[in-house]
């Protein structure tokens, strides 16, 4: 090696000597310990220089032992050197050794290597992964050790979906492990749904039949599996093409059927667990397609309204959170300002009120009640409803008039009985919620008038 290429901050002779000892299997444990001790004192730049002098295949070979202490030391060394190398260097030079280490009988080795691979792929996933290695990583999705299967899921998500889904071997592998049980199938769904953010990938996934069991699994009697699957589907459902695809499979209508506001059904523990997740699924869609959900799936709003009238704090909390999320969307505010809401919700008041006005009446009751558990959430929901974001002057003026109308549904001097009453309570979250509501009132012309009127009345 020429003088110009010799790393000045690295003991080249030491590294080469240790590598020679490893190549001859002379004092393996001592050599690994010496390398670990050497790297403790080095910064990232120095470690990188040293790693480029090393043949990491020799390090991986040290895992061919039943010596648990040596295995742990080798894992520590791999964490050090693999964390500084470029993805292409690692996968080009050490693919065979990596694959062998992932098949290691010791779970710590599998988990360590998969975790390191995930970090490398997260930094740069534009690498060619050999089919055999890809299949070996996919096999780890079946592992009962959560650290292994979890890291395997994260790794596979970084694979280039187009190439993976075009490989007959990998598709066959995915089909095989998906047939094992619903738990493993759910892990694969997690990956497939992540890839399906691309229209092309979704088309490939569909054409390969990898979502063929999705409808059945949504109805699977294991409520935890249902919850996990529904949550994973949310990112796909809020895209236009994803929603249309799920709708074509019957998943949207299937989940809609699971929504319940019936008091009898809400006594069922499975319904209590699943209902909030399914409701959140539709709330997320409503934020991007409010009028469609309002006209085609109105039961979503019936469930929210019925929950608001329940005595159960957990159900009230779910409903309040749903309203808070809906009110964060300008489009939702505009399109749900619809007087037919009175009919949809079976609202018995004589007036024809829009959705927000009806929600405000119920939120006002909760926010001004003596129960402190839900006050902060109810006040935050009210604040989101009356908040006006920056926008075009014409639409902003229109929204100001709408929020004024909704605010008027809060009876009995809300500034005194909600804002002031919350700010004097000894609970920081409630105080903060009251203060934020006051700030949003102060940002609007009609809100300023309300504040002045209240101040004059009580001074």
């Amino acid at each position: 090696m020429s003088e110009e290429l010799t790393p000045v901050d690295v003991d080249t002779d030491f590294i080469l000597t240790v590598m020679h000892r490893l190549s001859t299997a002379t004092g393996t444990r001592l050599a690994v310990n010496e390398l670990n001790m050497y790297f403790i004192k080095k910064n990232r730049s120095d470690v990188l220089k040293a790693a480029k002098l090393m043949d990491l295949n020799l390090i991986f070979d040290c895992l061919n032992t039943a010596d648990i202490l040596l295995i742990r030391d080798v894992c520590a060394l791999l964490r050090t050197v693999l964390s500084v190398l470029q993805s292409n260097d690692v996968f080009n030079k050490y693919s065979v050794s990596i694959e062998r280490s992932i098949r290691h009988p010791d779970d710590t080795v599998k988990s360590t290597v998969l975790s390191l691979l995930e970090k490398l792929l997260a930094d740069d996933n534009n690498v060619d992964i050999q089919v055999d290695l890809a299949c070996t990583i996919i096999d780890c999705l079946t592992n009962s050790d959560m650290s292994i299967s979890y890291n395997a899921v994260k790794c596979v998500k970084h694979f280039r979906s187009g190439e993976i889904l075009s490989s007959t071997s990998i598709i066959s592998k995915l089909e095989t492990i998906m047939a094992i049980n619903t738990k493993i199938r759910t892990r694969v769904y997690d990956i497939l749904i992540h890839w399906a953010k691309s229209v092309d990938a979704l088309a490939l996934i569909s054409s390969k039949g990898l979502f063929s069991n999705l409808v059945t699994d949504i109805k699977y009697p294991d409520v935890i599996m249902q919850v996990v699957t529904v949550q994973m589907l949310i990112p796909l459902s809020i895209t236009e093409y994803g929603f249309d695809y799920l709708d074509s499979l019957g998943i949207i209508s299937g989940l809609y059927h699971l929504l319940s506001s019936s008091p009898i059904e809400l006594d069922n523990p499975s319904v209590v667990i699943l209902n909030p997740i399914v409701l959140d699924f539709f709330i997320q869609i409503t934020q991007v397609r409010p009028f469609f959900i309002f006209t085609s799936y109105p039961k979503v709003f019936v469930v929210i309204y019925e929950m608001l009238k329940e005595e159960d704090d957990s159900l009230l909390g779910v409903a309040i959170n749903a309203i808070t999320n809906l009110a964060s969307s300008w489009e939702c505010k505009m399109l749900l300002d619809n007087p037919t809401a009175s009919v949809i919700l079976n609202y018995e008041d004589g007036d024809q009120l829009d959705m927000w006005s009806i929600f405000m009446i119920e939120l006002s009751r909760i926010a001004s009640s003596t129960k402190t558990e839900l006050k902060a959430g109810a006040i935050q929901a009210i604040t989101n409803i009356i908040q006006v974001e920056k926008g075009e002057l014409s639409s902003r003026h229109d929204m100001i008039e709408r929020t004024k109308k909704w605010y008027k549904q809060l009876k009995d001097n809300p500034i005194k009985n909600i804002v002031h009453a919350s700010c004097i309570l000894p609970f920081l979250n409630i105080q903060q919620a009251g203060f934020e509501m006051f700030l949003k009132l102060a940002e609007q012309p009609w809100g300023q008038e309300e504040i002045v009127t209240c101040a004059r009345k009580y001074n």
Side-chain angles (χ1 to χ4, degrees), residues 245-372:
Y245 177 72
L246 295 177
D247 196 28
S248 70
L249 293 179
I251 287 175
I252 303 298
S253 58
L255 289 176
Y256 186 64
H257 179 72
L258 291 176
L259 264 181
S260 179
S261 61
S262 164
I264 296 175
E265 290 182 359
L266 289 174
D267 286 336
N268 184 330
S270 295
V271 175
V272 171
I273 293 171
L274 187 60
N275 214 39
I277 307 302
V278 176
L279 180 61
D280 184 52
F281 176 87
F282 282 101
I283 294 302
Q284 299 289 336
I285 299 171
T286 305
Q287 287 180 273
V288 294
R289 307 179 75 168
F291 191 69
F292 177 78
I293 298 298
F294 182 78
T295 54
S296 302
Y297 298 96
K299 188 179 177 183
V300 172
F301 306 100
V302 175
V303 170
I304 296 172
Y305 179 59
E306 294 294 337
M307 282 183 172
L308 281 175
K309 296 191 294 182
E310 288 287 331
E311 295 296 324
D312 188 318
D313 283 359
S314 62
L315 293 176
L316 277 168
V318 170
I320 291 169
N321 187 57
I323 295 169
T324 304
N325 288 334
L326 288 176
S328 65
S329 163
W330 185 294
E331 188 179 8
C332 265
K333 285 183 179 178
M334 299 285 281
L335 293 176
L336 296 182
D337 186 12
N338 192 314
T340 61
S342 293
V343 177
I344 291 173
L345 302 183
N346 196 25
Y347 186 69
E348 296 177 356
D349 193 284
D351 297 330
Q352 286 248 316
L353 297 178
D354 63 88
M355 192 72 68
W356 299 114
S357 293
I358 296 172
F359 285 162
M360 285 291 260
I361 292 168
E362 297 300 324
L363 290 170
S364 176
R365 173 180 56 80
I366 299 166
S368 56
S369 72
T370 56
K371 295 180 71 173
T372 58

Side-chain angles (χ1 to χ4, degrees), residues 33-155:
N33 281 335
E34 286 176 347
L35 284 170
N36 276 325
M37 292 299 295
Y38 177 79
F39 284 127
I40 286 175
K41 304 173 185 177
K42 298 297 179 182
N43 58 33
R44 182 181 177 86
S45 176
D46 290 343
V47 173
L48 176 60
K49 293 172 184 175
K52 289 181 176 179
L53 295 172
M54 298 166 64
D55 179 0
L56 297 191
N57 288 312
L58 297 175
I59 306 298
F60 279 106
D61 287 345
C62 295
L63 293 169
N64 300 329
T65 178
D67 186 336
I68 297 299
L69 291 178
L70 176 56
I71 288 172
R72 298 296 178 267
D73 288 340
V74 173
C75 286
L77 183 56
L78 288 172
R79 278 193 290 269
T80 300
V81 293
L82 287 179
S83 65
V84 300
L85 292 172
Q86 295 293 316
S87 301
N88 271 311
D89 289 342
V90 173
F91 285 98
N92 287 339
K93 294 180 182 178
Y94 307 116
S95 188
V96 174
S97 292
I98 290 170
E99 183 189 349
R100 193 170 66 248
S101 68
I102 296 173
R103 295 184 184 278
H104 199 282
D106 189 288
D107 284 349
T108 301
V109 175
K110 295 177 183 176
S111 180
T112 298
V113 174
L114 287 169
S115 176
L116 291 168
L117 293 184
E118 192 276 327
K119 289 174 182 174
L120 286 167
L121 290 168
D123 289 337
D124 177 16
N125 64 357
N126 191 31
V127 295
D128 293 321
I129 299 176
Q130 294 181 10
V131 171
D132 288 346
L133 175 57
C135 286
T136 301
I137 295 173
I138 289 170
D139 267 332
C140 290
L141 297 173
T142 66
N143 201 291
S144 58
D145 186 314
M146 288 300 293
S147 67
I148 295 172
S149 58
Y150 176 69
N151 283 319
V153 167
K154 292 202 296 181
C155 271

Side-chain angles (χ1 to χ4, degrees), residues 118-215:
E118 192 276 327
K119 289 174 182 174
L120 286 167
L121 290 168
D123 289 337
D124 177 16
N125 64 357
N126 191 31
V127 295
D128 293 321
I129 299 176
Q130 294 181 10
V131 171
D132 288 346
L133 175 57
C135 286
T136 301
I137 295 173
I138 289 170
D139 267 332
C140 290
L141 297 173
T142 66
N143 201 291
S144 58
D145 186 314
M146 288 300 293
S147 67
I148 295 172
S149 58
Y150 176 69
N151 283 319
V153 167
K154 292 202 296 181
C155 271
V156 180
K157 281 183 177 181
H158 291 303
F159 289 178
R160 290 182 293 197
S161 59
E163 294 178 11
I164 295 299
L165 293 169
S166 299
S167 167
T168 304
S169 300
I170 293 176
I171 293 298
S172 176
K173 174 67 67 175
L174 288 171
E175 290 172 340
T176 300
I177 68 170
M178 289 178 80
I180 295 174
N181 58 45
T182 55
K183 184 180 291 186
I184 294 168
R185 198 152 57 242
T186 300
R187 293 169 188 166
V188 179
Y189 287 154
D190 190 7
I191 296 162
L192 296 176
I193 292 165
H194 176 80
W195 286 344
K197 292 174 185 175
S198 156
V199 179
D200 293 339
L202 178 58
L204 277 171
I205 291 166
S206 178
S207 68
K208 305 295 182 183
L210 295 175
F211 277 154
S212 59
N213 287 314
L214 199 52
V215 177

